[in-house]
Amino acid sequence: MNGGQDIGGMDGFGPVQPEPNEPVFHSQWEKRAFALTLAAGVAGGWNIDMSRFARENRPPNEYLTMSYYQIWFAALEAMLKERALVSDDEIAVGQALKAPKPVSCILRADDVARVLYHGGPTERETKTKPAFKAGDRVRAKMMNPVTHTRLPRYVRGHLGTIDRVIGCHVFPDSNAAGAGENPQWLYTVRFDGGELWGADADPSVTVSVDAWEPYLLPA
Amino acid sequence: MAYDQHDHDRFELSETQLRVRALETVLTEKGYVDPAALDLLIETYETKVGPRNGARVVAKAWTDPPYRARLFKEATSAIAELGYAGRQGEHIVALENTPKRHNMVVCTLCSCYPWPVLGLPPVWYKSAPYRSRAVADPRGVLKDFGITLPKDTEIRVWDSTSEIRYLVVPMRPPGTEGWNEDKLAELVTRDSMIGAGLPKSPKDVK
Amino acid sequence: MAHAHSHDHDFHHEQGSELSEMQLRTRAIETILLEKGYIEQAAIDELIETYEKKIGPRNGAQVVAKAWVDPKFRKWLFEDGTAAIGSLGFGGRSGNHLVALENTPSLHNMVVCTLCSCYPWAVLGLPPLWYKSAPYRSRAVADPRGVLKDFGIELPKDTEIRVWDSTAELRYMVVPMRPAGTEGWSEEKLAELVTRDSMIGTGFPKSPKDLK
């Protein structure tokens, strides 16, 4: 979606401000929000692409003014409510008021190390062949889905070069919409700064994105 | 609870604290989450997984040419040789900085970052200034980090739009001949593995 | 030094706790500018009076009504909006370069300024809040039919919709179609049917039965 998250090339945010000796978490609630998101994801059964969509699917003015973990937490609440796992009135009183729905799996302490170590690899077997090879010129499609996509606006419609054929990976546009993994060939596509930003751009800069085949057209 | 300066926003901080607690209680009462698992998740990323992992990878690449070759050929397995693997690092690509080329990693759309080697990303990496400017003005961003590269250095910015995670392998600082891996690892900063910084030099380490 | 107390606005539509801060800040700036002699009180009052009371969509309604009854004016309006509208005494600020857009049974025009709030003040007065806000600005160019639905309007699927993004100094005014059942009406009576939204392209004129 063309939401508040798609900010590559947007102006006005000011300088990057690194914090010296920054702690991993800035408050207790951030720690809990982080852990709850990971753990509830197991119980809730949503995939990472659904999580990302839930985060970016905030009104842009809220997305741009909320802190990182506030966005995570708002998305967590939304996904739990969507699946009727918790309700607003339960959150308001901080107590379960209705019986839990059965869930197929929950994350136990004993599982944590193993689950984290395994992660969620997205490469999938396929019998199809990639449409493009390294060195091919491609054009990023002009597309504007209102649902989840990982093709940022700043590259859409632009000409780039296939840097690398990565492999066949879960396709987020489908996966986030609950339409299945629908794995597609994934490429690193490199764009000249001038192509993206115009004749005045820094000639020493190139930018790449990782783009799935449905995002690309032969040039 | 200490005031959180990083909530630069319009929403009531204490309201968020209360809601998080409330949700945790509800989820625990319903049996959807295991409190011991929550604590372990926090402990893992607060104390166990962090940039020291990536620093070891880089230090090994600096001293062990076959390892370096494996790392650039297929980073996920080379990194796993050191025991680092898993969530948000299932598919890692190592990027080689050279005198002619500087790599910088960003996730404009959210905060994708190679957790197994760098831990959780810093706030600046996840915030709008970096996300918006890294792809448009990487030299300007480097200036915010106090770095100026030669005009003809190629700057490659990598926007992490998929599950591929990128780890920059900075150049080995001069004056470190004969150093062992542990000592070299101390020079490798987190920012140098993102591409927003350079490693320390020997004189920075006493 | 007199303050513009008589022009304190109706704040019922303002939002949030920042209201009193804005009141204080604007009063402070006004006071300072007056004290330094950079602005003149009477001019401030006149500006407010002009756009609260004198210039508004009634101007545009007059233009549209005339175009409905007077074929020569209509032709002139579409050929040279600035001149034709100027002949009725309307022009000036945000009305120096006016273009009239003709709605027909197969073509519907809609005007927006995605980048800010450009609007033909000379014929419509100051823009309404919805026109200047993110929902309209972001969606008019991407999903005009969705926007029209928000206004309770559904056009036939094959009606061409032309969205005009006012990115320069040209200001656009939509000339809606004359409602049926108004044969022989005077310009004044016809003007009463012309709504502001119909001249932006987010509405239709009233019909005779709406006027009682």
Side-chain angles (χ1 to χ4, degrees):
Chain A
M1 62 180 294
N2 292 346
Q5 85 291 0
D6 196 347
I7 56 176
M10 193 160 160
D11 291 327
F13 290 114
V16 179
Q17 295 180 296
E19 178 189 345
N21 302 314
E22 182 184 331
V24 177
F25 298 107
H26 291 79
S27 64
Q28 271 299 112
W29 75 259
E30 285 198 343
K31 299 183 195 187
R32 307 316 291 184
F34 169 76
L36 285 170
T37 299
L38 268 59
V42 175
W46 53 76
N47 58 58
I48 195 168
D49 302 301
M50 291 172 176
S51 302
R52 292 204 183 101
F53 184 60
R55 287 170 199 153
E56 66 204 22
N57 194 16
R58 324 254 108 244
N61 56 306
E62 288 182 21
Y63 182 94
L64 291 172
T65 47
M66 290 164 89
S67 73
Y68 184 75
Y69 284 111
Q70 285 189 320
I71 295 170
W72 270 44
F73 188 69
L76 174 62
E77 284 185 326
M79 288 188 289
L80 289 166
K81 288 192 285 191
E82 252 168 52
R83 290 161 178 74
L85 294 171
V86 306
S87 61
D88 271 325
D89 48 354
E90 289 177 320
I91 300 175
V93 299
Q95 259 185 284
L97 298 173
K98 303 181 233 322
K101 284 174 69 171
V103 297
S104 56
C105 191
I106 86 151
L107 180 70
R108 305 228 168 265
D110 290 343
D111 299 327
V112 168
R114 181 183 53 79
V115 166
L116 290 179
Y117 192 78
H118 182 260
T122 52
E123 190 159 12
R124 298 292 181 263
E125 296 278 318
T126 181
K127 293 195 170 58
T128 67
K129 296 249 171 292
F132 305 110
K133 58 186 190 310
D136 282 353
R137 291 287 279 165
V138 290
R139 190 176 290 280
K141 280 186 188 165
M142 181 43 64
M143 49 184 262
N144 288 280
V146 298
T147 46
H148 184 64
T149 188
R150 295 292 287 187
L151 187 68
R153 274 188 279 184
Y154 73 89
V155 301
R156 292 176 196 168
H158 288 295
L159 264 181
T161 308
I162 301 285
D163 202 53
R164 192 164 82 94
V165 181
I166 298 171
C168 193
H169 284 254
V170 173
F171 186 45
D173 304 47
S174 305
N175 207 29
E181 292 191 340
N182 189 19
Q184 301 290 327
W185 282 96
L186 178 63
Y187 308 87
T188 298
V189 183
R190 181 154 298 286
F191 301 86
D192 283 341
E195 166 71 14
L196 297 178
W197 311 112
D200 293 336
D202 184 336
S204 68
V205 173
T206 64
V207 182
S208 75
V209 300
D210 296 332
W212 284 261
E213 207 164 283
Y215 297 165
L216 304 171
L217 294 166
Chain B
M1 210 119 329
Y3 175 68
D4 179 353
Q5 287 166 9
H6 286 264
D7 286 333
H8 33 267
D9 58 77
R10 296 159 168 276
F11 294 87
E12 277 302 315
L13 173 58
S14 53
E15 191 195 329
T16 308
Q17 283 172 306
L18 293 170
R19 286 184 82 90
V20 173
R21 271 195 201 165
L23 187 64
E24 180 168 347
T25 306
V26 174
L27 292 175
T28 306
E29 284 181 7
K30 293 201 176 199
Y32 294 150
V33 303
D34 169 3
L38 298 177
D39 292 338
L40 207 42
L41 284 164
I42 294 165
E43 190 187 333
T44 301
Y45 290 101
E46 260 198 317
T47 62
K48 298 195 181 135
V49 179
R52 294 297 93 222
N53 296 3
R56 284 194 57 211
V57 172
V58 171
K60 198 170 174 67
W62 285 345
T63 53
D64 181 342
Y67 182 76
R68 186 186 183 89
R70 290 199 297 283
L71 181 65
F72 287 120
K73 185 159 195 268
E74 211 294 292
T76 314
S77 46
I79 289 166
E81 287 178 36
L82 300 186
Y84 312 132
R87 194 176 184 116
Q88 288 301 297
E90 301 91 343
H91 311 282
I92 302 183
V93 170
L95 304 173
E96 185 180 12
N97 276 5
T98 71
K100 290 206 163 60
R101 175 183 299 165
H102 182 88
N103 295 282
M104 187 188 287
V105 183
V106 65
C107 176
T108 60
L109 298 175
C110 52
S111 59
C112 300
Y113 191 75
W115 293 9
V117 282
L118 296 186
L120 296 181
V123 170
W124 63 259
Y125 182 88
K126 306 181 280 194
S127 299
Y130 187 71
R131 287 168 55 189
S132 61
R133 285 174 53 227
V135 292
D137 179 25
R139 283 180 191 274
V141 167
L142 285 169
K143 224 185 251 177
D144 288 347
F145 284 90
I147 291 169
T148 304
L149 296 173
K151 262 207 242 305
D152 55 0
T153 304
E154 180 197 347
I155 299 184
R156 283 200 179 178
V157 184
W158 303 72
D159 192 352
S160 316
T161 53
S162 69
E163 293 305 323
I164 309 305
R165 297 287 168 265
Y166 294 100
L167 177 71
V168 175
V169 180
M171 291 186 284
R172 178 173 178 166
T176 60
E177 295 71 29
W179 285 34
N180 66 28
E181 279 184 43
D182 281 347
K183 202 154 173 230
L184 283 167
E186 286 178 51
L187 298 179
V188 185
T189 63
R190 175 200 63 199
D191 291 356
S192 70
M193 293 183 281
I194 298 170
L198 299 173
K200 295 181 185 169
S201 72
K203 58 178 167 51
D204 298 324
V205 174
K206 293 283 159 262
Chain C
M1 196 84 39
H3 294 282
H5 290 297
S6 58
H7 292 285
D8 279 351
H9 296 273
D10 175 356
F11 290 112
H12 293 171
H13 298 290
E14 299 211 35
Q15 303 163 48
S17 58
E18 301 189 20
L19 172 58
S20 50
E21 194 195 327
M22 286 309 299
Q23 277 175 298
L24 292 170
R25 286 178 80 92
T26 48
R27 274 195 197 168
I29 293 280
E30 184 168 350
T31 304
I32 296 165
L33 293 177
L34 285 166
E35 285 180 5
K36 296 202 177 199
Y38 294 153
I39 60 171
E40 190 194 78
Q41 182 70 76
I44 299 290
D45 294 343
E46 180 63 27
L47 283 164
I48 295 168
E49 171 100 7
T50 300
Y51 287 101
E52 265 201 315
K53 310 242 176 66
K54 295 181 186 159
I55 299 184
R58 295 298 93 221
N59 296 3
Q62 235 185 282
V63 173
V64 171
K66 195 171 179 70
W68 283 346
V69 305
D70 183 341
K72 274 179 72 180
F73 179 79
R74 185 185 183 87
K75 185 164 185 289
W76 190 24
L77 178 63
F78 289 125
E79 277 170 10
D80 186 347
T82 314
I85 292 167
S87 74
L88 299 184
F90 309 132
R93 193 183 183 101
S94 226
N96 298 112
H97 310 282
L98 291 163
V99 173
L101 305 170
E102 184 180 14
N103 276 6
T104 72
S106 55
L107 172 63
H108 183 88
N109 295 282
M110 189 189 289
V111 183
V112 65
C113 177
T114 59
L115 298 176
C116 51
S117 59
C118 300
Y119 191 74
W121 292 8
V123 285
L124 297 187
L126 297 181
L129 184 53
W130 61 259
Y131 181 89
K132 306 182 279 194
S133 299
Y136 186 70
R137 288 169 54 192
S138 59
R139 287 176 53 225
V141 292
D143 179 24
R145 285 182 188 272
V147 168
L148 286 170
K149 224 186 248 179
D150 290 346
F151 284 89
I153 288 170
E154 207 165 327
L155 295 172
K157 263 206 245 298
D158 56 0
T159 304
E160 181 191 345
I161 298 184
R162 280 191 193 176
V163 184
W164 303 73
D165 192 352
S166 317
T167 54
E169 289 311 310
L170 261 59
R171 296 286 171 265
Y172 295 99
M173 188 185 119
V174 175
V175 179
M177 290 186 283
R178 177 174 180 167
T182 59
E183 294 70 30
W185 283 33
S186 69
E187 274 183 50
E188 264 184 68
K189 201 152 174 235
L190 284 166
E192 286 179 53
L193 298 177
V194 184
T195 63
R196 175 200 63 198
D197 290 357
S198 70
M199 293 182 281
I200 299 171
T202 52
F204 293 136
K206 294 180 187 168
S207 72
K209 58 175 165 55
D210 296 325
L211 278 197
K212 283 291 159 264

